[in-house]
Amino acid sequence: IGSTVFKLSGLIFANVPDPWTGLALWIVCGGLSFVGALCYAELATTYPRLGGEYNYLSRAFGRPAGFLFGWAQLAIIQTGSIGFLSYVFAEFAVNVFGADKSMVVWFALGAVIGLSGLNCLGIRRCKRPQNLLSAAKAIGILMLIVGGLSATGSASLEVVKPVEGPGWSLAMILILYAYGGWNDAAFVAADLRDRQRNIPRALLLGIGIITACYVLLNAAYLATLGFEGLRTSFQPASDAMAKVFGPVGERAISLLVMISALGSVNGLVFSVARLHATVGADHPVFSLLGRWSSKSQAPIWSLLVQGIVASAMILCVGAEGGRQLVDAGLKVFGASAVPWQQYNGGFDTLFAASAPIFWLFFLATGLAYFVLRWKDPEIERPFRTPLFPLCPLIFCGMCVFGLHSATMYALPLLPLIAVPFIMGLPLYLVSEWLRPRKSSGGAA
């Protein structure tokens, strides 16, 4: 359960015509995510090596596809998600501790640096904090659902204003982002015990529970704030609890969102670092990322580089000097400056900019599913996606919709993501040039 449902539900309902359409979209997107998880359950149990989609794309389309995927995760997608979620944590931390708004950037940096250091201690050390964060989050969500649904206020579900934003397509993209993250379980498939049983169970049962939580949370918002109140709320979880329990409830729910965001950041830091380590093991240009600590059994260099890139992103979009530096860099390539305020300030830009590349590779994974069914007909598949080929076709259709909608939403930001993405092409050529020299070097 990520932080989108605590922060962006207002924007989601502002782009739907009535509350029932909004709740229906949460259910539909949960169903689409479930279908996608069915496909991933087959891929993860059949090809359980660390790295998830990197392995599927490399096996289906060759080394260039896997390399570009790994590069995009490091340079754009997952580091951008880590930065965005760290900012969500920082925004609510400032409210809880009564700090100045200028401290948001430093709270976000502290989350990335602290959790990266924690994960360097190894899986046994970092799993306990993650379990505690998840347990605290579950308790808080239950409090929010029960408190909101039991509210006896005069909240109205009547529609006063028509949709003024891009519409239901944006709402659906934001909801799918809220469900996003289930696919990251494939990054750590090789670390799981009893993979044939636990991977499908984690993906399918997890998404079912999350769908129920998301629908009930949004129903609680509507019960306390009303439809128009929810549409204008920038922090619906805090606003709902303030209405039910007063200032104490508002601070308590802000603490919940802090915990939720911190747990999400920790999960990403842990899982994505293992993807980078797998890419480093296969491609010489990133060989440093493939080094593991013999003491902690953690990909130390992968965690460090990932933390540095995410921290740089936070500084570039969160500090005025960083934004000016980004705009100056785009001008060098003849591109326009970033319309920062169009995306509610700096940090939401990370989400909008990374979304098209995310959906591009999501679609590529859906296509890889069909290619691998054709290329590896004899391989053992401990879990098979039911209703083949209907489920993977639905998944690919969802990805086409997501890619189109995310691209239209992030159109002014395409130059910002095109530059780092295209850099992956010469990096791959360098890596391939290094590969034969490295393999012929004996001790090297």
Side-chain angles (χ1 to χ4, degrees):
I1 296 180
S3 303
T4 304
V5 71
F6 302 122
K7 190 174 187 293
L8 297 181
S9 280
L11 180 59
I12 290 168
F13 277 84
N15 282 279
V16 296
D18 57 74
W20 313 115
T21 301
L23 290 176
L25 282 180
W26 281 96
I27 297 172
V28 168
C29 289
L32 291 173
S33 299
F34 189 86
V35 169
L38 289 171
C39 301
Y40 268 67
E42 176 176 328
L43 291 171
T45 52
T46 306
Y47 310 101
R49 185 190 180 204
L50 285 174
E53 290 109 317
Y54 165 75
N55 297 312
Y56 320 145
L57 293 172
S58 298
R59 195 175 182 104
F61 304 121
R63 290 172 59 83
F67 182 91
L68 285 176
F69 172 80
W71 166 248
Q73 300 296 310
L74 178 63
I76 304 171
I77 302 174
Q78 296 293 3
T79 42
S81 294
I82 290 171
F84 174 75
L85 291 170
S86 297
Y87 175 69
V88 175
F89 158 78
E91 192 177 50
F92 282 88
V94 164
N95 293 340
V96 170
F97 298 116
D100 188 84
K101 293 292 185 182
S102 62
M103 295 297 294
V104 167
V105 172
W106 304 111
F107 273 108
L109 282 174
V112 172
I113 294 170
L115 292 175
S116 297
L118 176 66
N119 277 271
C120 285
L121 299 178
I123 187 172
R124 294 187 181 276
R125 296 284 182 87
C126 67
K127 74 174 184 179
R128 291 187 179 89
Q130 181 67 26
N131 289 339
L132 288 173
L133 290 171
S134 298
K137 184 195 306 187
I139 294 171
I141 288 172
L142 184 62
M143 179 186 74
L144 183 57
I145 292 173
V146 172
L149 293 179
S150 61
T152 57
S154 56
S156 173
L157 299 181
E158 295 296 323
V159 180
V160 177
K161 296 181 180 179
V163 174
E164 297 178 354
W168 66 269
S169 61
L170 174 60
M172 199 164 177
I173 285 295
L174 294 174
I175 295 172
L176 287 170
Y177 179 77
Y179 282 102
W182 53 264
N183 55 301
D184 294 342
F187 291 160
V188 296
D191 272 344
L192 296 179
R193 293 173 295 188
D194 192 7
R195 292 189 292 267
Q196 296 181 13
R197 175 173 175 266
N198 284 331
I199 291 175
R201 185 176 66 170
L203 288 170
L204 304 180
L205 182 61
I207 288 179
I209 294 172
I210 290 169
T211 301
C213 285
Y214 281 170
V215 173
L216 291 173
L217 279 169
N218 282 281
Y221 296 155
L222 291 169
T224 52
L225 302 175
F227 181 56
E228 294 299 333
L230 177 56
R231 296 174 96 183
T232 57
S233 175
F234 291 102
Q235 294 184 355
S238 300
D239 293 342
M241 285 298 94
K243 198 164 185 179
V244 177
F245 298 114
V248 175
E250 181 179 10
R251 177 159 292 197
I253 210 64
S254 295
L255 184 61
L256 161 67
V257 179
M258 274 180 55
I259 293 171
S260 175
L262 206 59
S264 299
V265 174
N266 191 48
L268 278 178
V269 168
F270 169 81
S271 59
V272 180
R274 281 151 174 78
L275 161 66
H276 303 324
T278 304
V279 176
D282 292 347
H283 297 277
V285 75
F286 291 131
S287 59
L288 185 67
L289 304 182
R291 298 182 183 179
W292 289 66
S293 168
S294 57
K295 183 178 180 180
S296 64
Q297 295 298 307
I300 300 294
W301 285 102
S302 178
L303 287 162
L304 290 176
V305 172
Q306 174 183 269
I308 289 170
V309 175
S311 298
M313 285 185 172
I314 290 171
L315 290 172
C316 283
V317 304
E320 185 60 34
R323 297 183 192 184
Q324 293 175 0
L325 185 64
V326 170
D327 289 339
L330 288 173
K331 288 181 181 178
V332 171
F333 292 94
S336 302
V338 175
W340 300 103
Q341 295 309 315
Q342 181 177 335
Y343 299 94
N344 301 317
F347 282 91
D348 285 1
T349 311
L350 288 177
F351 159 71
S354 63
I357 304 297
F358 167 82
W359 284 107
L360 174 65
F361 282 110
F362 229 21
L363 175 60
T365 303
L367 298 176
Y369 176 96
F370 289 101
V371 173
L372 292 173
R373 275 278 187 126
W374 172 71
K375 289 182 70 173
D376 298 328
E378 304 300 326
I379 196 170
E380 181 185 358
R381 299 179 184 275
F383 178 89
R384 285 183 173 269
T385 305
L387 301 178
F388 177 83
L390 180 60
C391 285
L393 284 174
I394 292 174
F395 175 67
C396 288
M398 176 186 74
C399 294
V400 169
F401 165 78
L403 176 60
H404 176 265
S405 299
T407 302
M408 291 298 100
Y409 181 60
L411 206 56
L413 303 176
L414 293 185
L416 181 65
I417 58 177
V419 172
F421 182 69
I422 293 173
M423 284 175 57
L425 297 175
L427 274 176
Y428 174 74
L429 296 177
V430 171
S431 186
E432 288 299 286
W433 179 75
L434 289 172
R435 190 160 70 104
R437 295 179 60 190
K438 187 174 182 181
S439 61
S440 62

